[in-house]
């Protein structure tokens, strides 16, 4: 039987709304892992997960913020 790994969620996880669109920002890592994962989940349950991991949770959040400025939430 395979055990489910423990996940550490960043305190930067939050719901974000812009132009009538809402996403849940999830930043997490395996308990013993080094890299942070960035995932956006829309209100319908669809998600986008970045392939690259980030050295810090703040770097993952910065990636979201920069992408938001360049591309918007759509």
């Amino acid at each position: 039987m395979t055990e489910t790994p423990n996940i550490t969620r960043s305190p930067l996880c939050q719901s974000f709304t812009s132009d009538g669109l809402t996403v849940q920002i999830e930043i997490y890592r395996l308990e013993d892992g080094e890299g942070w994962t960035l995932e956006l989940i829309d209100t319908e349950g669809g998600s986008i997960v970045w392939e690259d991991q980030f050295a810090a949770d703040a770097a993952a959040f910065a990636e979201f913020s920069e992408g938001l400025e360049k591309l918007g939430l759509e």
Side-chain angles (χ1 to χ4, degrees):
M1 186 165 148
T2 304
E3 290 186 35
T4 304
N6 291 326
I7 302 291
T8 301
R9 291 183 73 232
S10 167
L12 298 173
C13 294
Q14 60 187 280
S15 180
F16 180 83
T17 301
S18 177
D19 296 327
L21 299 173
T22 300
V23 294
Q24 180 65 33
I25 303 166
E26 291 293 330
I27 301 171
Y28 53 86
R29 65 181 172 97
L30 294 176
E31 185 176 52
D32 296 328
E34 293 181 19
W36 290 88
T37 298
L38 172 61
E39 179 177 9
L40 299 181
I41 304 169
D42 66 26
T43 56
E44 297 175 2
S47 72
I48 298 171
V49 179
W50 273 244
E51 288 184 25
D52 296 328
Q53 291 190 327
F54 300 88
D57 59 346
F61 191 81
E63 176 75 12
F64 165 74
S65 298
E66 290 171 13
L68 181 65
E69 283 184 31
K70 290 179 185 175
L71 304 173
L73 201 52
E74 289 185 40

